[in-house]
Amino acid sequence: MEVATNWNTSGTLSIRRLRPTYWLTRYVILRLLGLNYAIAFLVAINQILPLIGSKGLLPVGMYLKRVSNALGSDTAGFMRLPSLFWFWHSNTALITVAWVGFILACLVTAGYANALILVALWVLYMSFVHVGQEWYGYGWEIQLTETGFLAIFLCPLLDMRPFPRRPPPYPVILLFRWLIFRIMLGAGLIKMRGDVIWRNATALYYHFETQPIPGPLSRTFHFLPHSVLRTGVWFNHLAELVAPWFVFWPRLARHTAGGIIVLFQINLILSGNLSFLNWLTIVPALACFDDGLWARILPRRLVRKAEEAEALAIESQSMTNVAWVVTALIGCLSIRPITNMLSPRQIMNTNFDPLDLVNTYGAFGTVGRKRYNVVFEGTMDADTSNNAIWKPYIYKGLPVELNRRSPQIAPYQLRLDWQMWFASMSTPNDYPWTVHLVWKLLHNDPGAIGLFAGNPFPEQPPRYIRAVLYRYSFAKPGNSEGLVWNRESLGLWLPPMDVNDRRLLSFLKSEEWIE
């Protein structure tokens, strides 16, 4: 850390810091970013083939063909949705890219990063985001690409040491603060504009029960006293509408704002399963803290290494120049996202350039008052009425069994479960791939079955598959039946279908999912 020494009036040596430094800040940001990348690529390794592989629910080859036809050529498609998979999109390509990304991300998590590795991670993950269709349509996907792009310019081009001799460029630290400012303020504004229950402080009466995938503590949060839940809403507003304005202030205000934002994200981590969103959001918030704070928290060994690196620091004018060019670029690209943020018709989780360099964010602009869930069920009976023995396909995260406590999933993401949460609030017409899923379940397709917790028909495929819409609600703790959930059936979401169903076959052929 850059310091000056002088003798005070008592004759002892005193140390005075000239300005904040960010050697330890860079170290922590890159490690946590690497962890987020590793989790994201691990999700791809496990789920990408049944989702967008050649035999997946939404095959990537068909998607690229349709984009190319719509835009006029593969070149136009690539310019609009840059991705390596325009050149090679076989199952081997998908898995290879996922594994390469995971290995590189593990290197960064372990402390070994440079600009080239971070460029590779950015390109590889953006390649998935741009062809992942609705499976990759979440705000944290473009948030990861934007965060990853900024991180490229924190590092030297080649030096992979945890504490390289090149200091972190201060303009990039400011860009990370600009990112957390937009993330938090955008989320706060969309809530205030989107739903009255955020304004009257009752949103948390419903949120923990109706959020996409509840966690182990969600039911505990749901049954907290209403006064505590209202306080939680006000803390939400403090973190999203007030704290962001102080991330550029002097040290005490900046540290306080960063602390509030990080504490808020930890609270969200404890209360639900929001994928790696909250872990990722902490990354730019760490730029609020300088080495003076980290030196009090991190092990002395790391602090000493940072001091040694600073003592041997080599200023890089090229890194500084590039950082200012990137800052100017981000400033120009921020005009549309900021205009959107200030608009009464604000939209959330949208990109404004083909490379997702500066995006607009937001979450839970509206909060559902009731929890709906679509459960796929199969039977071996010839009878398709409710008198048949219907066995459910258990999701890995979404509730199905009434006595099963919600598992801890995040920061890992179950992409089928997330999409079925959205689908339960709509109809199959908006989620046609659910019909394709039925077809695969009727054939015991290993990839589709692997997206669920298990196979209720391990010996042979079921004769019929249907999907039932249920309303779920938390059962009160301590009930005599030992229930975690209550539910009521609201009717069929998809009617019973077998492999010879003419409507099913006709629809699958029209979508080119079967010949």
Side-chain angles (χ1 to χ4, degrees):
M1 299 78 185
E2 186 171 341
V3 296
T5 59
N6 61 283
W7 295 93
N8 59 28
T9 54
S10 63
T12 59
L13 185 67
S14 66
I15 299 177
R16 175 174 55 86
R17 185 176 301 279
L18 293 178
R19 57 185 173 87
T21 57
Y22 297 93
W23 297 80
L24 291 167
T25 302
R26 173 172 61 185
Y27 178 86
V28 178
I29 284 176
L30 292 177
R31 302 296 80 74
L32 185 54
L33 176 62
L35 179 62
N36 277 276
Y37 264 133
I39 293 166
F41 282 112
L42 180 63
V43 171
I45 290 170
N46 292 332
Q47 300 177 42
I48 202 67
L49 293 187
L51 295 179
I52 68 169
S54 60
K55 301 295 182 180
L57 293 171
L58 292 172
V60 62
M62 294 175 58
Y63 176 69
L64 293 177
K65 180 181 178 181
R66 289 172 181 172
V67 172
S68 179
N69 290 339
L71 297 179
S73 67
D74 286 359
T75 301
F78 177 82
M79 296 301 293
R80 177 61 188 88
L81 295 171
S83 172
L84 296 176
F85 299 120
W86 283 100
F87 308 102
W88 184 36
H89 56 260
S90 66
N91 288 352
T92 301
L94 293 169
I95 288 297
T96 299
V97 169
W99 271 109
V100 171
F102 178 71
I103 293 169
L104 292 178
C106 288
L107 276 176
V108 176
T109 306
Y112 302 98
N114 60 25
L116 290 181
I117 290 176
L118 289 166
V119 166
L121 285 169
W122 175 63
V123 170
L124 294 176
Y125 198 69
M126 182 171 59
S127 294
F128 280 117
V129 173
H130 286 173
V131 303
Q133 303 161 76
E134 55 197 80
W135 310 110
Y136 279 77
Y138 310 103
W140 52 85
E141 312 295 355
I142 55 176
Q143 185 177 325
L144 180 52
T145 59
E146 180 173 351
T147 306
F149 176 77
L150 295 181
I152 294 170
F153 306 99
L154 272 180
C155 303
L157 181 64
L158 300 175
D159 193 340
M160 292 179 56
R161 288 174 292 181
F163 293 99
R165 299 295 178 255
R166 301 292 195 275
Y170 184 62
V172 182
I173 297 295
L174 294 179
L175 290 178
F176 274 101
R177 293 178 191 167
W178 176 236
L179 174 58
I180 193 60
F181 173 86
R182 289 185 288 109
I183 291 171
M184 299 305 292
L185 187 60
L189 291 175
I190 201 73
K191 290 180 176 66
M192 296 302 286
R193 290 174 174 142
D195 201 328
V196 66
I197 61 175
W198 284 113
R199 299 191 293 273
N200 65 22
T202 62
L204 296 187
Y205 293 3
Y206 314 97
H207 166 74
F208 300 116
E209 181 177 77
T210 63
Q211 64 181 306
I213 304 180
L217 298 178
S218 297
R219 186 165 72 138
T220 301
F221 277 80
H222 177 72
F223 285 106
L224 289 173
H226 279 185
S227 59
V228 176
L229 295 176
R230 286 194 297 271
T231 301
V233 175
W234 290 115
F235 180 63
N236 181 105
H237 295 333
L238 173 66
E240 292 185 336
L241 294 172
V242 179
W245 296 100
F246 294 91
V247 300
F248 296 103
W249 279 44
R251 196 167 187 264
L252 178 60
R254 173 167 40 83
H255 284 187
T256 302
I260 290 172
I261 292 171
V262 171
L263 181 61
F264 175 61
Q265 298 304 319
I266 292 173
N267 181 71
L268 294 177
I269 289 169
L270 294 174
S271 64
N273 279 306
L274 298 179
S275 184
F276 52 83
L277 169 63
N278 308 117
W279 297 89
L280 178 61
T281 303
I282 290 174
V283 173
L286 298 178
C288 294
F289 309 126
D290 55 49
D291 290 347
L293 178 64
W294 290 117
R296 301 177 182 179
I297 300 173
L298 297 177
R300 181 59 195 168
R301 175 181 59 86
L302 290 178
V303 176
R304 186 166 53 251
K305 287 185 176 181
E307 292 172 342
E308 292 171 354
E310 184 178 3
L312 300 173
I314 303 173
E315 291 290 338
S316 174
Q317 190 60 46
S318 60
M319 278 186 68
T320 302
N321 293 341
V322 170
W324 281 115
V325 170
V326 172
T327 302
L329 174 65
I330 298 299
C332 294
L333 293 177
S334 295
I335 295 174
R336 291 183 66 190
I338 290 299
T339 301
N340 170 73
M341 188 185 300
L342 298 177
S343 170
R345 297 182 179 180
Q346 178 190 2
I347 55 176
M348 59 184 185
N349 301 327
T350 302
N351 59 347
F352 293 94
D353 61 87
L355 297 177
D356 308 333
L357 299 183
V358 184
N359 312 296
T360 184
Y361 302 102
F364 298 105
T366 58
V367 175
R369 276 55 159 189
K370 298 178 181 180
R371 179 178 193 88
Y372 300 104
N373 195 20
V374 172
V375 178
F376 292 93
E377 299 174 344
T379 183
M380 296 299 300
D381 297 345
D383 180 12
T384 60
S385 71
N386 288 333
N387 295 325
I389 300 175
W390 293 96
K391 296 181 180 180
Y393 287 83
I394 308 300
Y395 296 107
K396 294 180 179 181
L398 289 175
V400 176
E401 299 169 304
L402 302 184
N403 61 352
R404 183 191 181 208
R405 187 183 182 189
S406 298
Q408 181 61 46
I409 302 297
Y412 191 82
Q413 183 179 1
L414 300 170
R415 297 192 182 277
L416 174 67
D417 294 46
W418 270 82
Q419 278 302 306
M420 288 310 303
W421 178 75
F422 285 108
S424 68
M425 296 179 284
S426 187
T427 69
N429 291 332
D430 296 316
Y431 294 86
W433 55 263
T434 55
V435 181
H436 196 194
L437 177 59
V438 167
W439 175 257
K440 290 182 176 296
L441 296 180
L442 285 169
H443 291 82
N444 263 359
D445 178 80
I449 295 294
L451 297 172
F452 293 89
N455 184 4
F457 302 94
E459 301 300 327
Q460 65 182 87
R463 180 174 294 186
Y464 290 96
I465 292 286
R466 70 179 186 179
V468 182
L469 180 64
Y470 292 96
R471 179 189 172 190
Y472 278 72
S473 60
F474 277 131
K476 289 187 177 180
N479 64 82
S480 59
E481 296 87 357
L483 296 176
V484 176
W485 295 96
N486 297 311
R487 80 176 184 183
E488 60 175 312
S489 175
L490 301 179
L492 291 176
W493 196 77
L494 280 172
M497 291 177 277
D498 66 4
V499 292
N500 297 313
D501 189 299
R502 292 184 178 180
R503 296 167 302 171
L504 174 61
L505 293 172
S506 176
F507 180 78
L508 294 174
K509 290 177 181 178
S510 69
E511 294 289 331
E512 300 181 8
W513 286 327
I514 63 172
E515 295 181 358

